[in-house]
Amino acid sequence: MTAIGIRARNLRLRLAGDRDVLHDVSLAAPPGSVLVIAGASGAGKTTLLEVLAGVRPPDEGTVTHGGRPPAPRAGGFGYVPQDDIVHRDLPLSRTLRYAAELRLPAGTPAEDVGAAVRRALADLGLTGVADQRVGVLSGGERKRASIAVELLTRPRVLFLDEPTSGLDPAAGAALLGLLRALANQGTTIILTTHTPADLLRADSVAFLAPGGRLVYRGAPEGLLKHFGTDSVEEAYGAAAEAPSVSNEIEGPDEQPIAETASSSTSELPKPIGPLRQWWLLTRRSAEILARNRLSAAVLVGSPIVIIAMFAMLFRPGVFDPGSLDPASTAMICFWIAFGAFFFGLTYGLLQICTELPIVRRERLTVLRLGPYLLAKTAILLPVLVAADALLLAVLRLLNRLPAAGWGVYGSLFGTAVLASAAALALGLLASAAVAEPGQATLMLPLLCFPQVLFSGAFVPVPRMSGLGSGLSWAMTNRWAFEALGSGVRLDERWAHGASPMGPPLLTSYGDTFAHSAGRGWLWLGGFTVLFLAAAWAVLAHKCRRAAR
Ligand SMILES: Nc1ncnc2c1ncn2[C@@H]1O[C@H](COP(=O)(O)OP(=O)(O)OP(=O)(O)O)[C@@H](O)[C@H]1O
Ligand SMILES: [Mg+2]
C-alpha cells in the first residue's frame, strides 16, 4: 500500500454572525505519520478534522490527500466520530461482522471477513466482550468498538475524533501504539485529543487556540519550549494568548500519483455492489429488529390489536342484500384503507430517525441510500402483507365482509397492500425528515388527520370545497378507499340492495366507486415511488449537510 500525505492550506470556516471556527489553518501530515490535533474545548478540533477528512467543505482553502481532493467514498478512508455511533442491539461480533461485509472489497472470502473481525477485536482488546450486546458495553469498550469498525479495512487515511477519551491511561497508550503500528504499515493518521500523553506519542502536533487559530505546528518535543511552559496542561492556558503560526508549510506539495494500473485510486479494491449491499442491509435490519424484543412485539402486536377493534366495531351482515347497511359498508371500506395505511405509517416512522447518526457515519464511506431504503422496505413489507391478509381474513370470517370470489378478495388485498406500501414509504420519508425520534411521534397525528378528513369517506369528494377536493388527490387514503369500494362493487350493492338509503348515498358519493380499482392502484404505486424518492433525497441532503 502506497502511503499518502494530507495537506491543508489556508483553511477558513465561518459560522453565521461572522464567528470564525477555523482561522486560516495550514498544516501537513506526511505519508504514514500520526498527527495529533489538540486545543481547548470548542477551539475547532472536530471541525478541523472534518474539513481535513473532506467530509465538511471549508469556506476557503484547500485540502489534498496524496495531492488530490479528498474522496472519502472512493475507499481506503476511515472516519471515527466523537460520539460512538454503532448499533446497540447487536452483539459486538455481529456488529463488526456486518461492518466488515459492508466495507471489505467485493469477493472477500467469508473466512477473511471472519479473520478481519477477529483481528480488529484482538487489536482493540475486545475479544473478551465479543458476544456482548453493544448497548451493555462500558463507555470505553464502546469507544473502542467504534474504532474497530474503521480498522476492519486497514484504510490509507484514518481520522479519529477523540479516540482516547473515556479510555483508561493504559488502554489509551495501547490504542496510540496500535495507531502507530498502523501508520508504520502505511496509514496516515490524524486524531484529536484532550489527553496530554497522546501529544507526546505523535509524530507532529497541531495546536488550536479558541477561534480556530493554529498556534503551534511541529514535533511534540518542541511544544513546551514554544509556549514556554513546563507541562502540556499549562500549554493550554498559554495557547489562548499565543500568536498564530505562519502559513508556510515545509516540503513541496505531493504530486498526484499518475493513474496507472498499479497506483492511486485504481489500487483501491472495489466495494460491494448495490444488490449485495441491499441484501446485507436487509439481513442486518432483520437481525436488529428480531433482537429488539419490544419493537418486534409492537410490530406484530399493533395490527392484531387494531384488527380486534375493527372486528368488535362492526355488526355482521351489513353487506348482505337483505340486511344491507350502506353507510356501514362505506365505513368498513374506509377503515380497511385506514388500517392498512396506519400499519404502514407506524412501521416506517421509527425506522430511520432512530439510526440517522449511523446512516450518516456509514454514508461517509460505503453506504448507498437506495439499497438502505429498499432494505427497510424489504423487511417491513412482508409483515405488512401478512397484517393486511389477516385483517381481510378476520373481517370475512366474522362476516363483516361479503361472501365473494377470489377475484374480489384479490382486488381488496392488492389495494390494502399498496395502501400499506405507500404509507410505509410516507413513514420512511417522515422518519428521514424529522430531527429526532420524539418528533416522529408528533408526526403520526399530523400525517393521519388529513388522510382521514380528505379521504372522501366522511365528506364525499363531490361534496368537498374546491380546495378540499384538490387536497384529496394527494391523499393515499382516498385512492385506497375508492379502490376498495370499487373492489366490493359498493355502487351496485347500494343501487340494488334492500336499503332505501342506498340510492341517496350513491348520489352523494357520485362517481367515487365508478372507476376500476386499477386506477387507485396506479395512484398508490405512484405515491410509493414518489415518497421513497423523496426519502432518498432528504437523506442525501442530510448526509451532505454536515458530517455530524
Ligand atoms: N454546524 C455548526 N453550527 C453551529 N456551531 C458550530 C457548528 N459546527 C461547529 N460549531 C461551533 O464551532 C466551535 C468549534 O466546534 P468543534 O466541535 O470543532 O470544537 P472542538 O474543539 O472539537 O471541541 P470539543 O473538544 O469540545 O470536542 C464550537 O463553538 C461549536 O459550537
Ligand atoms: Mg470535538
Side-chain angles (χ1 to χ4, degrees):
M1 184 165 75
T2 339
I4 59 176
I6 296 167
R7 268 174 180 269
R9 284 191 184 279
N10 307 96
L11 297 179
R12 195 179 271 262
L13 198 96
R14 207 170 267 140
L15 291 176
D18 256 7
R19 191 158 72 88
D20 269 350
V21 187
L22 294 179
H23 185 90
D24 210 8
V25 174
S26 299
L27 53 78
S33 69
V34 178
L35 168 70
V36 166
I37 301 171
S41 190
K45 299 182 298 297
T46 298
T47 310
L48 178 58
L49 192 75
E50 288 171 343
V51 171
L52 290 174
V55 299
R56 180 167 179 171
D59 291 331
E60 286 168 34
T62 53
V63 175
T64 55
H65 295 180
R68 294 169 190 280
R73 294 173 58 74
F77 169 95
Y79 189 97
V80 183
Q82 189 162 358
D83 306 314
D84 32 280
I85 301 170
V86 256
H87 282 291
R88 289 176 165 240
D89 292 320
L90 297 179
L92 176 58
S93 57
R94 298 296 298 156
T95 304
L96 290 181
R97 175 94 201 178
Y98 283 121
E101 288 183 43
L102 196 57
R103 283 150 214 258
L104 287 172
T108 307
E111 55 267 34
D112 291 4
V113 176
V117 170
R118 282 191 300 278
R119 190 187 59 196
L121 283 168
D123 280 352
L124 287 155
L126 291 168
T127 310
V129 291
D131 297 328
Q132 303 280 335
R133 203 164 60 81
V134 172
V136 304
L137 296 182
S138 78
E141 286 164 346
R142 207 155 38 236
K143 182 100 216 168
R144 280 179 282 153
S146 176
I147 297 167
V149 167
E150 300 304 326
L151 291 193
L152 290 162
T153 52
R154 304 270 137 153
R156 298 215 290 187
V157 289
L158 178 59
F159 300 86
L160 308 102
D161 202 357
E162 295 191 27
T164 53
S165 65
L167 301 190
D168 64 75
L175 177 62
L176 261 285
L178 173 66
L179 294 177
R180 152 96 308 123
L182 267 184
N184 291 344
Q185 290 163 33
T187 301
T188 308
I189 293 174
I190 302 188
L191 63 121
T192 67
T193 192
H194 280 302
T195 312
D198 294 347
L199 273 64
L200 305 172
R201 296 194 178 99
D203 294 311
S204 56
V205 172
F207 211 103
L208 284 179
R213 288 184 310 113
L214 192 63
V215 289
Y216 179 76
R217 185 183 57 218
E221 298 78 31
L223 184 78
L224 299 186
K225 185 160 170 273
H226 180 81
F227 290 119
T229 58
D230 296 327
S231 69
V232 176
E233 287 82 350
E234 288 170 69
Y236 279 80
E241 311 296 324
S244 305
V245 294
S246 93
N247 273 321
E248 293 305 312
I249 45 181
E250 312 82 50
D253 276 357
E254 243 182 298
Q255 289 307 309
I257 310 156
E259 285 276 5
T260 66
S262 65
S263 72
S264 188
T265 47
S266 47
E267 192 181 296
L268 297 169
K270 267 187 131 37
I272 57 171
L275 195 67
R276 283 202 57 119
Q277 195 168 106
W278 166 79
W279 177 231
L280 180 80
L281 294 170
T282 303
R283 284 190 291 128
R284 187 173 74 176
S285 287
E287 187 170 343
I288 290 171
L289 214 55
R291 284 185 187 267
N292 188 330
R293 296 247 178 81
L294 185 65
S295 55
V298 171
L299 205 68
V300 176
S302 64
I304 292 177
V305 172
I306 290 170
I307 291 169
M309 290 196 283
F310 283 173
M312 287 186 274
L313 180 63
F314 302 109
R315 117 185 123 62
V318 293
F319 277 91
D320 297 345
S323 57
L324 182 78
D325 176 358
S328 289
T329 58
M331 284 305 104
I332 288 179
C333 286
F334 169 76
W335 287 109
I336 294 174
F338 187 74
F341 171 81
F342 191 79
F343 301 156
L345 187 67
T346 46
Y347 280 14
L349 263 179
L350 286 176
Q351 288 301 316
I352 300 174
C353 58
T354 46
E355 59 179 25
L356 189 62
I358 299 177
V359 174
R360 276 182 177 162
R361 175 180 178 177
E362 291 184 330
R363 167 83 181 159
L364 289 180
T365 48
V366 278
L367 190 78
R368 293 165 186 248
L369 296 176
Y372 170 74
L373 284 170
L374 291 178
K376 291 285 180 203
T377 315
I379 296 292
L380 296 169
L381 203 55
V383 191
L384 287 171
V385 167
D388 290 336
L390 185 69
L391 171 62
L392 292 175
V394 167
L395 291 181
R396 171 63 203 119
L397 287 174
L398 298 176
N399 198 25
R400 268 65 171 179
L401 280 172
W406 287 109
V408 169
Y409 276 93
S411 165
L412 298 186
F413 180 59
T415 304
V417 168
L418 280 168
S420 291
L424 174 64
L426 179 62
L428 291 174
L429 167 60
S431 193
V434 295
E436 38 117 20
Q439 290 181 358
T441 330
L442 285 177
M443 290 297 276
L444 188 62
L446 283 180
L447 291 171
C448 285
F449 226 82
Q451 293 281 355
V452 174
L453 292 182
F454 299 102
S455 64
F458 299 95
V459 180
V461 175
R463 299 279 171 102
M464 286 181 189
S465 73
L467 196 63
S469 70
L471 267 176
S472 74
W473 286 75
M475 299 298 143
T476 61
N477 258 306
R478 170 183 170 181
W479 305 110
F481 173 62
E482 292 191 3
L484 288 169
S486 151
V488 286
R489 320 259 146 74
L490 276 190
D491 46 2
E492 280 173 35
R493 285 173 198 275
W494 291 354
H496 306 302
S499 167
M501 292 305 295
L505 209 56
L506 201 51
T507 314
S508 69
Y509 275 95
D511 66 353
T512 298
F513 309 112
H515 306 282
S516 76
R519 182 173 98 132
W521 296 355
L522 274 180
W523 277 100
L524 292 171
F527 275 120
T528 309
V529 174
L530 181 74
F531 291 148
L532 280 178
W536 183 92
V538 168
L539 268 184
H541 174 72
K542 280 197 167 181
C543 291
R544 231 189 345 259
R545 206 177 47 195
R548 46 182 92 180

